[in-house]
Amino acid sequence: MAATRSHSDWNASAHRSWAFRLWWMMALTAAAWCLLAGIASAQKYDTYEFDKKYEVFKEPKKAAELERATSQLKTARDLDKIDKSAPNYAKFYLTEYIPWKLTQKENLAEVSSTIEDLLKDLDGAQRMSSAGARTLLINTFFGMQRIAEGNYIPAARINAINALARLNATPLDIANGRPPLPLKQSYPILFKLYANEKENDGVRAAALHGIHHYTQFAFPVMTAEEKKALVDEMNKLLAAEPPQSRDPEAHAYLQRFAVDILNILRAPNDESLGTQLISISTSETHPDLIALYSASKLGGINSGLQGKVKDPAEVTKQWSLRAFNAIESELARFAAQTPPKKAMQQPPNPITFLQKSETAKERAKRQRAASSGRGAGGSGMDAEYGSMGGEYDSMEGMGSMDMMDSSYGEMSGYGDMEMMGSGMMMMPQIPPQPPEVNLSRRKVSLVLQQLLRGATGSPKGKIGEKPSGLMAGVDQADQAVIQEWVATMLEVVAALNEESLSDLEKWTDALESQRPILGALAGVEVTAIEDPDEIEDRPLLPFPGMAAPMEPAAEANALPGLPVAQ
């Protein structure tokens, strides 16, 4: 009941979205843990075997009898009205046949789908309050426990661990807005598997993932001893360096679970996690994966941090360095992908440098004139109806509604409106964004949003009535430092979200333009690329050996008797 009351604000749409995401998350996570476990190792794994007198059930036809008996329990309203052998058949199927099937190497491809079907049937039985739901739950638990704790192929163990984490004492109740309550018997198994450092990384990672899921929904019913032991393990993980057998990025990914679990279990006024998050997010040795995540989670803390941040400028400096490096990384990636320009076969015609380049507005005007039949030859409306004369002829100089085009462009920010062939105006369209620009923008935006959330509690940088994150950790006199930094970061966000950045060249130019700004915040000296227009307007400097330009007064007296005009 405590878990139900603590989550009463859930709504039906959130439940459906959560359930769908959870299904895919579990499937993808199982695959990731399998890779981490190193299935193709030299270790010898066992296969589960049951009594020889039951080997007849290994045949497909006899196995189908077990499945039908289990299905009867799923839909049973009264156990007295179903086959008397169904409960025993279902028990054998879940606790003996399934462990045997999933530990056979030839059935490796069916492991995930088989367990997923079992969980789906169990969830359906619980939702309809089937009389056989409890029997299915208990026997599924024992079957998954046998696989998870045994010396079987990692793929089977990892999927069984994920199944244990998803077993619910009470299912998800969408109608009444109640989340599921995980089965408490699963937690000791998950904790034991994670805490055992002799287990391979894939099994430990799957167990940690299950603990994270369990803690999210069952923390109100966890005992004080369970919470203390779990907090100690998560603090140990958060402070540990990656083992030699584990990639630093994979270690940082596991540490994110520790941050979430500690955040769920912390006391309201406990500042220890907040100071840890600040330390991790400002450490140059931690990967972005855990550093940025820690900064983001800091934004959810609004109590217990007052006065704990003594040097906010140093924190914002390190955070700015993360943002600066994100932009540097994108620019370097694009530079590595850009093919070298083809060598020019002939030098350009010198006359082209003297011609005035056509602006985008002039080019759009010319294209509209051509599409409306006002080009050469007098085709279109003019050719068909002739000149209208009088005041209509005087509008000729306006072109295709240039006055309206320019005024609307200034108001809307979309530029010129297009004209349809019939003369009707078409609403302006946002320039399409190439996939490489979209993906790069999302990556950089995520970095900036995490930092803004860490500073203010909001990914949009909005400071609420009650300060959160870094704003809650500084003295009131130092809050202006955070506000100024947030204002500058919001300008960077606005510049990188301009709708006019419609191609890769414009996007990389925008990234390049923000390098000096972020570099200044991060204490990195950046040489900005000069604007060609500014270079043209700059006075020419003398070449080596050439006299510098003379001042007017000195020039008048430089050569006596020679007129200045000459």
Side-chain angles (χ1 to χ4, degrees), residues 204-225:
R204 295 189 68 198
L208 178 60
H209 186 271
I211 292 172
H212 177 264
H213 173 76
Y214 182 89
T215 309
Q216 280 183 307
F217 298 101
F219 70 91
V221 299
M222 293 177 68
T223 65
E225 292 77 12

Side-chain angles (χ1 to χ4, degrees), residues 500-564:
S500 59
L501 306 179
S502 57
D503 57 43
L504 185 56
E505 182 178 0
K506 293 178 181 178
W507 170 244
T508 53
D509 288 344
L511 290 176
E512 190 69 49
S513 68
Q514 300 309 306
R515 289 179 65 251
I517 299 174
L518 293 176
L521 295 176
V524 178
E525 185 177 353
V526 179
T527 303
I529 297 178
E530 296 178 300
D531 188 350
D533 295 335
E534 295 180 0
I535 297 176
E536 292 179 2
D537 296 339
R538 186 180 305 165
L540 292 175
L541 296 178
F543 292 103
M546 176 180 176
M550 293 179 291
E551 296 294 334
E555 186 181 358
N557 300 323
L559 298 175
L562 183 65
V564 176

Side-chain angles (χ1 to χ4, degrees), residues 226-273:
E226 288 175 337
K227 291 180 179 179
K228 183 181 183 306
L230 182 56
V231 167
D232 291 343
E233 282 292 334
M234 295 303 99
N235 280 325
K236 180 181 176 181
L237 172 60
L238 205 55
E241 295 293 329
Q244 292 183 352
S245 59
R246 186 183 300 166
D247 185 88
E249 291 291 333
H251 186 70
Y253 181 75
L254 297 181
Q255 286 179 319
R256 301 202 322 168
F257 291 117
V259 170
D260 283 344
I261 294 171
L262 290 172
N263 190 38
I264 293 171
L265 299 179
R266 73 180 181 88
N269 294 321
D270 182 11
E271 78 282 357
S272 59
L273 178 61

